[in-house]
Amino acid sequence: MSEPTADVVVIGAGIVGASCAYRLAERGLSVRILEAAPIPAGGSTGRSAAGVRVQFSQATNILLSWKSIQAYREMPEAAYTQLGYLLLVPVAEWPAHRKSVALQRDLGVPVEVLPLEAAQRVVEFVPDGLAGATYGPADGVVDPHGITLGYLRRARELGAHLHLETELLQARALSGGWRLETSRGGFSAGCVLNAAGAWAGEVGRRAGLEIPVQPARRMVYATGPLPWPHRYPLTIDLDSGFWFRSEGARLIFGRSNPADEGFVEGMDWDWLEPTLEVGLARFPWLEQAALDRKASWWGYYEVTPDHNPILGWMPGVEGWANACGFSGHGVQQAAMVGVLMAEEIADGRARSLEIGPLRYERFLQRQAVLERNIV
């Protein structure tokens, strides 16, 4: 029996890998998706807080999210809900934040600047140290599982093959393609697309490549049902990094721990107290909410040095492309990333958006620009 072959092998069946697989199959390429887990969307995708927003400081990130949001609006499986994002901005960051808003508006993205009094009519908060707020009315939440499974279904209808519980062990470049050794045997491909999320750096190492993506654990804490009706947008206090939003009758909330790096598993209950400390300082009414430990969860960010994704061909390596390192924003950018990576691989170069600032070469040339609006 001959080993499976494909024009493109996609590593990872999360939302980014699924979107890329669908768009590649749509272009007429033979595609195989290798997923180490027993189910799709079992990693960062399935543990996402599911938010989608356009309020970034870099043009490419703004457009990746905006075009993806527009795609999700038309995708039944996405269950796109226009909940909004409210960003509370400290005095020191207000000038730079206003420049980001100007850029967002120049790119045709709907963002509103709110004085603190108007923002307090959306969510009650202590205004100390804040200069103003911005609100994205088109921002909201989606169903990451639904999107992933929808893309995979479409890809398979076009002839793509999904291989679950198939972990990449080693990849070797050959003349005109790649030979992949996996836990389920060998595969051959003309091209490999690394969409392995938090595992993208390890996948690169198994191919002898250095891809600067590191896992970082993140907590999503949940309250019990609140005793009052609410529909809070995803609200971020940029001074502390504390965020929350409505999730049915309850709230979910969190705050990144910059020291929490690597493949550490499980809930970090020690991080709850410092998270609540800054949350209660800004939103004292949270004291009325009870914690629901069983409804809380954790997942991984896939972090790069500049908090921007890595898209496109690997320089100096024939037939290897990356779509990884989204630093917590893969769900909201996946739809457009699939389109771009299909162009990159089928046509040799992405054309629908200029992805130059997100190519790997930025690290070699020391031209990386930090994405500021990360929590």
Side-chain angles (χ1 to χ4, degrees):
M1 183 177 177
S2 60
E3 67 183 24
T5 63
D7 293 325
V8 186
V9 165
V10 177
I11 310 295
I15 193 169
V16 172
S19 174
C20 293
Y22 164 52
R23 294 302 182 183
L24 288 162
E26 190 179 47
R27 296 296 299 271
L29 298 175
S30 61
V31 178
R32 293 186 182 271
I33 310 136
L34 308 187
E35 171 56 54
I39 57 172
S44 299
T45 297
R47 300 181 183 190
S48 165
V52 293
R53 66 176 168 100
V54 296
Q55 296 184 70
F56 288 92
S57 63
Q58 301 298 315
T60 310
N61 282 325
I62 295 166
L63 290 172
L64 280 174
S65 288
W66 179 229
K67 290 180 180 294
S68 293
I69 288 172
Q70 293 179 78
Y72 295 149
R73 280 173 162 168
E74 306 300 321
M75 186 178 185
E77 299 95 330
Y80 162 73
T81 302
Q82 198 167 317
L83 188 65
Y85 263 61
L86 180 70
L87 274 55
L88 307 180
V89 189
V91 172
E93 295 183 28
W94 189 238
H97 196 82
R98 288 297 300 265
K99 289 182 180 179
S100 295
V101 172
L103 175 61
Q104 292 153 15
R105 288 175 166 175
D106 285 346
L107 294 171
V109 170
V111 179
E112 302 169 9
V113 177
L114 302 180
L116 294 177
E117 296 79 6
Q120 285 176 310
R121 291 194 287 271
V122 180
V123 173
E124 293 182 26
F125 59 86
V126 175
D128 297 355
L130 300 177
T134 57
Y135 179 72
D139 299 342
V141 295
V142 294
D143 178 356
H145 283 98
I147 295 168
T148 304
L149 295 178
Y151 280 142
L152 288 174
R153 178 180 57 78
R154 289 165 170 79
R156 295 172 80 177
E157 288 172 350
L158 293 169
H161 296 270
L162 173 62
H163 302 267
L164 299 174
E165 297 182 286
T166 306
E167 179 183 358
L168 177 70
L169 303 177
Q170 185 182 41
R172 291 182 295 114
L174 303 175
S175 177
W178 286 82
R179 173 86 166 85
L180 309 178
E181 295 291 344
T182 80
S183 56
R184 293 291 184 95
F187 290 77
S188 296
C191 171
V192 176
L193 175 57
N194 180 9
W199 292 266
E202 178 59 29
V203 164
R205 282 187 286 276
R206 295 181 185 189
L209 304 174
E210 184 60 38
I211 299 171
V213 175
Q214 299 293 332
R217 186 175 55 160
R218 296 292 181 260
M219 301 299 118
V220 180
Y221 301 107
T223 73
L226 298 186
W228 63 85
H230 56 91
R231 196 173 186 271
Y232 296 127
L234 200 152
T235 302
I236 305 173
D237 175 14
L238 291 179
D239 188 36
S240 67
F242 180 88
W243 65 267
F244 73 92
R245 71 165 172 85
S246 292
E247 173 76 2
R250 69 175 80 240
L251 299 181
I252 59 173
F253 65 93
R255 177 177 174 239
S256 294
N257 180 353
D260 200 346
E261 298 179 348
F263 285 112
V264 182
E265 297 188 356
M267 288 297 299
D268 183 1
W269 294 113
D270 291 339
W271 186 240
L272 176 61
E273 183 176 346
T275 299
L276 281 175
E277 182 179 356
V278 297
L280 288 167
R282 183 69 70 194
F283 310 100
W285 51 267
L286 281 172
E287 193 169 14
Q288 303 174 59
L291 182 72
D292 187 339
R293 287 177 176 256
K294 292 183 178 179
S296 303
W297 74 89
W298 66 276
Y300 291 124
Y301 271 19
E302 43 173 312
V303 180
T304 63
D306 60 1
H307 296 157
N308 284 307
I310 304 172
L311 299 182
W313 295 113
M314 189 78 181
V317 181
E318 187 71 25
W320 184 283
N322 296 301
C324 55
F326 291 89
S327 300
H329 303 101
V331 166
Q332 61 193 282
Q333 298 183 338
M336 192 59 192
V337 167
V339 172
L340 292 166
M341 296 311 299
E343 294 174 352
E344 183 86 351
I345 292 171
D347 302 333
R349 196 78 172 176
R351 63 178 187 277
S352 293
L353 277 183
E354 174 50 57
I355 65 170
L358 305 182
R359 292 187 179 276
Y360 188 99
E361 284 87 342
R362 71 186 189 267
F363 300 116
L364 303 177
Q365 299 163 0
R366 299 188 178 183
Q367 294 178 342
V369 178
L370 185 70
E371 170 56 55
R372 300 180 70 256
N373 291 352
I374 297 291
V375 294

